[in-house]
PDB file of all heavy atoms in Angstrom:
ATOM      1  N   GLU A 198      -1.752 240.843 445.245  1.00  0.00           N
ATOM      2  CA  GLU A 198      -3.167 240.646 444.923  1.00  0.00           C
ATOM      3  C   GLU A 198      -3.647 241.694 443.918  1.00  0.00           C
ATOM      4  O   GLU A 198      -4.404 241.381 442.992  1.00  0.00           O
ATOM      5  CB  GLU A 198      -4.010 240.698 446.197  1.00  0.00           C
ATOM      6  CG  GLU A 198      -3.890 239.459 447.068  1.00  0.00           C
ATOM      7  CD  GLU A 198      -4.800 239.501 448.283  1.00  0.00           C
ATOM      8  OE1 GLU A 198      -5.728 240.367 448.307  1.00  0.00           O
ATOM      9  OE2 GLU A 198      -4.610 238.681 449.197  1.00  0.00           O
ATOM     10  N   ALA A 199      -3.208 242.929 444.098  1.00  0.00           N
ATOM     11  CA  ALA A 199      -3.586 243.988 443.161  1.00  0.00           C
ATOM     12  C   ALA A 199      -3.014 243.723 441.773  1.00  0.00           C
ATOM     13  O   ALA A 199      -3.661 243.995 440.756  1.00  0.00           O
ATOM     14  CB  ALA A 199      -3.106 245.341 443.685  1.00  0.00           C
ATOM     15  N   GLN A 200      -1.807 243.172 441.731  1.00  0.00           N
ATOM     16  CA  GLN A 200      -1.209 242.827 440.454  1.00  0.00           C
ATOM     17  C   GLN A 200      -2.019 241.733 439.759  1.00  0.00           C
ATOM     18  O   GLN A 200      -2.308 241.810 438.559  1.00  0.00           O
ATOM     19  CB  GLN A 200       0.234 242.379 440.654  1.00  0.00           C
ATOM     20  CG  GLN A 200       0.989 242.116 439.364  1.00  0.00           C
ATOM     21  CD  GLN A 200       2.408 241.645 439.626  1.00  0.00           C
ATOM     22  OE1 GLN A 200       2.628 240.730 440.428  1.00  0.00           O
ATOM     23  NE2 GLN A 200       3.380 242.272 438.979  1.00  0.00           N
ATOM     24  N   LYS A 201      -2.397 240.711 440.508  1.00  0.00           N
ATOM     25  CA  LYS A 201      -3.200 239.627 439.936  1.00  0.00           C
ATOM     26  C   LYS A 201      -4.563 240.118 439.454  1.00  0.00           C
ATOM     27  O   LYS A 201      -5.126 239.583 438.491  1.00  0.00           O
ATOM     28  CB  LYS A 201      -3.368 238.512 440.968  1.00  0.00           C
ATOM     29  CG  LYS A 201      -2.077 237.757 441.272  1.00  0.00           C
ATOM     30  CD  LYS A 201      -2.290 236.687 442.332  1.00  0.00           C
ATOM     31  CE  LYS A 201      -1.002 235.918 442.609  1.00  0.00           C
ATOM     32  NZ  LYS A 201      -1.170 234.912 443.687  1.00  0.00           N
ATOM     33  N   ALA A 202      -5.067 241.157 440.122  1.00  0.00           N
ATOM     34  CA  ALA A 202      -6.368 241.707 439.748  1.00  0.00           C
ATOM     35  C   ALA A 202      -6.276 242.702 438.596  1.00  0.00           C
ATOM     36  O   ALA A 202      -7.297 243.227 438.139  1.00  0.00           O
ATOM     37  CB  ALA A 202      -6.992 242.395 440.963  1.00  0.00           C
ATOM     38  N   GLY A 203      -5.066 242.967 438.117  1.00  0.00           N
ATOM     39  CA  GLY A 203      -4.887 243.879 436.997  1.00  0.00           C
ATOM     40  C   GLY A 203      -4.843 245.353 437.378  1.00  0.00           C
ATOM     41  O   GLY A 203      -4.846 246.223 436.510  1.00  0.00           O
ATOM     42  N   LYS A 204      -4.750 245.641 438.679  1.00  0.00           N
ATOM     43  CA  LYS A 204      -4.692 247.036 439.120  1.00  0.00           C
ATOM     44  C   LYS A 204      -3.298 247.635 438.952  1.00  0.00           C
ATOM     45  O   LYS A 204      -3.165 248.854 438.814  1.00  0.00           O
ATOM     46  CB  LYS A 204      -5.123 247.146 440.580  1.00  0.00           C
ATOM     47  CG  LYS A 204      -6.585 246.787 440.838  1.00  0.00           C
ATOM     48  CD  LYS A 204      -6.911 246.940 442.324  1.00  0.00           C
ATOM     49  CE  LYS A 204      -8.362 246.619 442.616  1.00  0.00           C
ATOM     50  NZ  LYS A 204      -8.679 246.794 444.070  1.00  0.00           N
ATOM     51  N   ILE A 205      -2.278 246.803 439.011  1.00  0.00           N
ATOM     52  CA  ILE A 205      -0.912 247.252 438.795  1.00  0.00           C
ATOM     53  C   ILE A 205      -0.193 246.235 437.919  1.00  0.00           C
ATOM     54  O   ILE A 205      -0.583 245.058 437.865  1.00  0.00           O
ATOM     55  CB  ILE A 205      -0.139 247.445 440.123  1.00  0.00           C
ATOM     56  CG1 ILE A 205      -0.010 246.127 440.871  1.00  0.00           C
ATOM     57  CG2 ILE A 205      -0.810 248.479 441.003  1.00  0.00           C
ATOM     58  CD1 ILE A 205       0.818 246.229 442.132  1.00  0.00           C
ATOM     59  N   ARG A 206       0.870 246.677 437.258  1.00  0.00           N
ATOM     60  CA  ARG A 206       1.597 245.802 436.347  1.00  0.00           C
ATOM     61  C   ARG A 206       2.922 245.339 436.932  1.00  0.00           C
ATOM     62  O   ARG A 206       3.260 244.161 436.851  1.00  0.00           O
ATOM     63  CB  ARG A 206       1.837 246.519 435.015  1.00  0.00           C
ATOM     64  CG  ARG A 206       0.542 246.889 434.289  1.00  0.00           C
ATOM     65  CD  ARG A 206       0.840 247.690 433.028  1.00  0.00           C
ATOM     66  NE  ARG A 206       1.623 246.910 432.072  1.00  0.00           N
ATOM     67  CZ  ARG A 206       2.489 247.434 431.222  1.00  0.00           C
ATOM     68  NH1 ARG A 206       2.741 248.741 431.219  1.00  0.00           N
ATOM     69  NH2 ARG A 206       3.142 246.655 430.379  1.00  0.00           N
ATOM     70  N   TYR A 207       3.694 246.261 437.501  1.00  0.00           N
ATOM     71  CA  TYR A 207       5.021 245.924 438.017  1.00  0.00           C
ATOM     72  C   TYR A 207       5.165 246.409 439.461  1.00  0.00           C
ATOM     73  O   TYR A 207       4.431 247.286 439.916  1.00  0.00           O
ATOM     74  CB  TYR A 207       6.111 246.557 437.145  1.00  0.00           C
ATOM     75  CG  TYR A 207       6.038 246.154 435.692  1.00  0.00           C
ATOM     76  CD1 TYR A 207       5.659 247.073 434.707  1.00  0.00           C
ATOM     77  CD2 TYR A 207       6.349 244.852 435.293  1.00  0.00           C
ATOM     78  CE1 TYR A 207       5.588 246.710 433.374  1.00  0.00           C
ATOM     79  CE2 TYR A 207       6.280 244.480 433.954  1.00  0.00           C
ATOM     80  CZ  TYR A 207       5.896 245.410 432.991  1.00  0.00           C
ATOM     81  OH  TYR A 207       5.828 245.037 431.677  1.00  0.00           O
ATOM     82  N   ILE A 208       6.170 245.826 440.153  1.00  0.00           N
ATOM     83  CA  ILE A 208       6.355 246.089 441.588  1.00  0.00           C
ATOM     84  C   ILE A 208       7.806 246.458 441.862  1.00  0.00           C
ATOM     85  O   ILE A 208       8.736 245.786 441.392  1.00  0.00           O
ATOM     86  CB  ILE A 208       5.967 244.855 442.420  1.00  0.00           C
ATOM     87  CG1 ILE A 208       4.500 244.470 442.159  1.00  0.00           C
ATOM     88  CG2 ILE A 208       6.196 245.107 443.912  1.00  0.00           C
ATOM     89  CD1 ILE A 208       4.106 243.127 442.755  1.00  0.00           C
ATOM     90  N   GLY A 209       8.005 247.516 442.655  1.00  0.00           N
ATOM     91  CA  GLY A 209       9.350 247.933 443.029  1.00  0.00           C
ATOM     92  C   GLY A 209       9.379 248.490 444.437  1.00  0.00           C
ATOM     93  O   GLY A 209       8.402 248.410 445.173  1.00  0.00           O
ATOM     94  N   PHE A 210      10.512 249.077 444.811  1.00  0.00           N
ATOM     95  CA  PHE A 210      10.598 249.767 446.100  1.00  0.00           C
ATOM     96  C   PHE A 210      11.570 250.930 446.009  1.00  0.00           C
ATOM     97  O   PHE A 210      12.417 250.985 445.116  1.00  0.00           O
ATOM     98  CB  PHE A 210      10.990 248.799 447.232  1.00  0.00           C
ATOM     99  CG  PHE A 210      12.442 248.393 447.273  1.00  0.00           C
ATOM    100  CD1 PHE A 210      13.377 249.120 448.005  1.00  0.00           C
ATOM    101  CD2 PHE A 210      12.870 247.247 446.612  1.00  0.00           C
ATOM    102  CE1 PHE A 210      14.715 248.723 448.060  1.00  0.00           C
ATOM    103  CE2 PHE A 210      14.211 246.845 446.665  1.00  0.00           C
ATOM    104  CZ  PHE A 210      15.130 247.586 447.387  1.00  0.00           C
TER     105      PHE A 210
END
Side-chain angles (χ1 to χ4, degrees):
E198 286 183 14
Q200 185 181 49
K201 291 178 179 177
K204 295 180 179 181
I205 63 176
R206 298 176 63 211
Y207 303 110
I208 301 170
F210 76 90

